[in-house]
Amino acid sequence: MTVMLAGAASSPWSWNLIDDVRDMWSYPFMVNAFRAGSIVAVVAGVVGWFMVLRKQTFAGHTLAISAFPGAAAATLLGVSATAGYFAFAVAAAIVVSVAARPGTRFSEESAVIGTVQAFALACGYLFVSLYKGFLNSVTAPLFGSSFAITNDQVVTLGLVAVATFAVLAVIGRPLFFASVDSDVAAARGVQVRLHNAVFLVVLGAAAAEASQIAGALLVFSLLVMPAATAQLVSAKPAVSLGLTVVLALLVTWAGLVLAYYALYPLGFCISSFAFGLYLLARAGRRVA
Amino acid sequence: MSNQRPAAAADSTTALRMRGAAVEVGGEVLWRDVDLSVEAGQFVAILGANGAGKSTLVKAVLGLVQLASGEVEVLGSPAGQANRDIGYLPQRRTFDSSVRVRGVDVVRLGLDGDRWGFTLPWGKNAKRAREIVRQVIDVVGASSYAQRPIGQISGGEQQRLLIAQALVRKPKMLILDEPLDSLDLPNQSAIAALIKRVCQEQGVTVLMVAHDVNPILPYLDQVVYLAGGAVMCGTPAEVITSEKLTTLYKSPVEVLRASDGRLVVVGEPEAPAHHGDRHAHVHGSHA
Ligand SMILES: Nc1ncnc2c1ncn2[C@@H]1O[C@H](COP(=O)(O)OP(=O)(O)OP(=O)(O)O)[C@@H](O)[C@H]1O
Ligand SMILES: [Mg+2]
């Protein structure tokens, strides 16, 4: 449940960053928020970089949306919301990868994905109305609630992050090949469909992670915008991937600070910083 | 499949052999009874009208399309098992401007993109790979734009980089599906000559799907002509004649030889008089 932040800051923003950080980190919930936010930023950055390259942002959005019925179902069943997030996002990833094969026409693929998304939202609404719970139980999964992250959740996020990186470390290069040039990759023996399915599951996990910080509706701020910005800045894969992670961390930290001091919702803060950076990168390219 | 040992010595120089091969798409036979034998180091053109099944033929060679009957043996193994040694350029592949990956990265994928793991941008291996990639880009003459995002260079420039990608692993066989497609005439001749040079110097077998045979005509050892579900193979002089094409198409087709050696096929059903007529004023005499 969301911790009310009103009056949480013991002292106002001071421009002395060290003091500010010391102040924020005197609260365990803020320490956890920074820990969770950093883990999520790195995972969402790396996975989002592949997602943007593969033009699968619509699929990513749908998987993030599936976290909402996941959280609602978990609340209804009385199990941990985190488990609900991951179970539903990964299940949606499997449905999308089976139903929308790569190579089918784009319109067909997006129709399948759109159907999954609508169904996920409908299920979420059903679960919430069955629960007859607070409004809060709807807004938290949709818009994020990272100030209520427990130690256990941080550990879960960390474990999922490790698993995600382990998978990407194994399939990274052939996945990149299949993403950029699937025909030739297939001729070279890369299992393009299998890579797509595995990547969607990884994307589902990353979307579920990011949902917990930014919320299912605003997950794009961490999955898409840092990667899109970095790919605008550089066409060198190593540079743009590194830059994606740096940008994701920066917008998350800046968002946490703003949310803490200004008491705006965290999802809004992160999204605004990410959007601002993206606009800057576009403007910069126009000028250059 | 493995019962053709008697001719083992001959096998070692046969790069591609098809016996009684047939392919079906959507339940209908596209072509059948294809018997084809290509020696290592030969330059072979695959010709035919749109929809004749040329691309499907090369996909069958790569094992990407299953045969309905017959068999294909490529570089001594069944189709699909020797693809590590084949450089492949699919038909009409362009990258749109949103692809923010450099030309060198795409070429590099041809070198080791299929290997598990991930690519580190530093270290001894990275340096060696960069050098190999730089050399092959030099060979195709694409150095001046290889560092730019591939979506932002012209179709012809992309095509040169993709040829570099097909060449980068020093393949034993090159399969090129309409590689001259988006090139202007000087570039068509230049790329055709380059491919011939690679074929000759490195003993690479080349299968090239072509719409216009003229830019490659002087280099060809064999042509494979697809029409109406049937196939005809032989030297260009044997196959591209009025009688042979009339038999193949089952309707009157006339092959004219211009004074400079170019061939013009007249009356070809479905793809009307394509060969050569687009470029009436080019190249000196070939034959
Ligand atoms: N996946 C597929 N499903 C159904 N039909 C197909 C498929 N692929 C190819 N075909 C059909 O097979 C036929 C041959 O296609 P192919 O691409 O091999 O022709 P092509 O000779 O390469 O033509 P072009 O000169 O236009 O490239 C066409 O009629 C096409 O419609
Ligand atoms: Mg074709």
Side-chain angles (χ1 to χ4, degrees):
Chain A
M1 202 168 301
T2 310
V3 172
M4 289 316 290
L5 275 176
S10 59
S11 52
W13 173 252
S14 70
W15 291 111
N16 180 344
L17 278 179
I18 299 189
D19 280 355
D20 290 335
V21 168
R22 197 171 291 152
D23 173 44
M24 282 187 289
W25 287 0
S26 63
Y27 294 94
F29 76 88
M30 272 316 276
V31 175
N32 271 355
F34 268 87
R35 283 186 187 143
S38 305
I39 294 170
V40 167
V42 176
V43 171
V46 172
V47 176
W49 185 84
F50 277 101
M51 182 188 74
V52 169
L53 187 76
R54 297 171 61 78
K55 301 191 173 72
Q56 285 184 315
T57 49
F58 188 37
H61 187 54
T62 298
L63 301 184
I65 293 277
S66 312
F68 162 57
T75 314
L76 190 62
L77 297 172
V79 299
S80 99
T82 310
Y85 276 120
F86 285 111
F88 270 64
V90 169
I94 291 168
V95 171
V96 168
S97 70
V98 169
R101 319 172 169 194
T104 51
R105 277 171 295 116
F106 176 74
S107 55
E108 198 174 310
E109 186 180 341
S110 52
V112 171
I113 296 172
T115 309
V116 172
Q117 182 177 118
F119 186 61
L121 271 176
C123 289
Y125 183 58
L126 171 72
F127 297 150
V128 166
S129 64
L130 285 178
Y131 184 62
K132 300 186 181 68
F134 326 113
L135 193 62
N136 197 15
S137 62
V138 180
T139 56
L142 284 180
F143 298 102
S145 63
S146 65
F147 290 121
I149 299 271
T150 63
N151 285 339
D152 284 353
Q153 276 173 300
V154 174
V155 171
T156 309
L157 290 176
L159 290 176
V160 172
V162 169
T164 301
F165 288 131
V167 171
L168 286 181
V170 173
I171 68 165
R173 184 164 36 204
L175 178 67
F176 183 61
F177 199 1
S179 308
V180 173
D181 201 352
S182 63
D183 288 350
V184 176
R188 276 284 166 81
V190 175
Q191 303 279 328
V192 175
R193 278 200 67 185
L194 182 69
H195 279 79
N196 184 57
V198 171
F199 177 70
L200 280 173
V201 170
V202 167
L203 180 57
E209 290 226 326
S211 299
Q212 295 178 55
I213 295 296
L217 290 181
L218 300 176
V219 78
F220 264 28
S221 51
L222 283 177
L223 269 178
V224 181
M225 282 195 244
T229 309
Q231 290 187 18
L232 275 180
V233 171
S234 174
K236 294 183 184 171
V239 173
S240 70
L241 183 58
L243 187 60
T244 302
V245 171
V246 170
L247 292 179
L249 281 170
L250 282 180
V251 298
T252 306
W253 291 337
L256 279 166
V257 172
L258 182 66
Y260 178 76
Y261 281 102
L263 304 181
Y264 294 139
L266 180 65
F268 163 79
C269 297
I270 294 179
S271 302
S272 307
F273 281 118
F275 186 55
L277 275 179
Y278 179 72
L279 285 186
L280 259 175
R282 284 208 77 113
R285 264 169 58 82
R286 187 111 347 136
V287 172
Chain B
M1 294 256 160
S2 51
N3 57 351
Q4 56 262 11
R5 285 299 97 191
D11 268 2
S12 64
T13 62
T14 305
L16 168 65
R17 191 198 307 266
M18 297 178 87
R19 281 201 213 86
V23 156
E24 292 177 3
V25 289
E28 284 185 39
V29 175
L30 185 56
W31 36 254
R32 61 153 60 97
D33 301 332
V34 177
D35 293 300
L36 174 63
S37 174
V38 176
E39 300 299 303
Q42 278 194 335
F43 194 136
V44 180
I46 298 165
L47 307 172
N50 290 130
K54 306 182 292 293
S55 299
T56 309
L57 180 73
V58 297
K59 283 182 193 156
V61 172
L62 286 162
L64 298 174
V65 165
Q66 295 307 310
L67 294 185
S69 62
E71 60 190 56
V72 188
E73 194 186 304
V74 188
L75 301 173
S77 4
Q81 291 188 8
N83 286 11
R84 288 187 60 80
D85 290 324
I86 299 177
Y88 174 47
L89 179 102
Q91 185 173 12
R92 268 189 284 280
R93 186 164 46 118
T94 53
F95 298 87
D96 68 68
S97 63
S98 67
V99 180
R100 300 281 303 162
V101 171
R102 297 169 304 170
V104 280
D105 301 317
V106 174
V107 176
R108 169 72 192 269
L109 283 173
L111 185 65
D112 60 7
D114 52 342
R115 279 180 29 211
W116 297 112
F118 54 94
T119 304
L120 284 175
W122 56 83
K124 228 165 86 190
N125 281 343
K127 203 169 156 205
R128 210 182 49 225
R130 251 201 310 276
E131 184 54 24
I132 295 172
V133 168
R134 196 192 57 75
Q135 279 172 7
V136 75
I137 288 174
D138 225 33
V139 166
V140 301
S143 307
S144 59
Y145 42 80
Q147 298 292 331
R148 288 173 41 198
I150 195 153
Q152 282 167 16
I153 59 179
S154 82
E157 291 167 343
Q158 290 183 15
Q159 196 77 308
R160 274 184 190 252
L161 284 167
L162 294 175
I163 290 171
Q165 186 203 46
L167 286 172
V168 69
R169 203 143 79 181
K170 298 215 184 314
K172 293 188 183 136
M173 181 184 281
L174 266 181
I175 296 185
L176 309 169
D177 200 341
E178 306 214 13
L180 308 181
D181 197 39
S182 52
L183 302 176
D184 57 21
L185 285 168
N187 278 306
Q188 285 193 359
S189 330
I191 289 292
L194 165 74
I195 291 165
K196 175 61 186 177
R197 212 176 71 218
V198 170
C199 173
Q200 230 159 22
E201 288 173 3
Q202 300 171 18
V204 176
T205 313
V206 178
L207 299 189
M208 187 194 285
V209 177
H211 221 80
D212 177 3
V213 70
N214 286 303
I216 49 173
L217 191 57
Y219 310 133
L220 291 178
D221 298 305
Q222 217 184 130
V223 299
V224 176
Y225 214 112
L226 288 165
V231 174
M232 201 170 273
C233 311
T235 64
E238 283 165 16
V239 175
I240 311 178
T241 64
S242 302
E243 305 81 65
K244 287 285 167 64
L245 292 190
T246 300
T247 322
L248 192 62
Y249 277 116
K250 302 187 188 77
S251 76
V253 171
E254 202 174 348
V255 177
L256 307 175
R257 184 173 284 268
S259 58
D260 64 359
R262 282 180 305 113
L263 295 177
V264 182
V265 179
V266 183
E268 193 181 8
E270 283 158 287
H274 245 317
H275 296 276
D277 63 347
R278 288 179 286 178
H279 335 295
H281 54 280
V282 258
H283 339 271
S285 71
H286 289 140

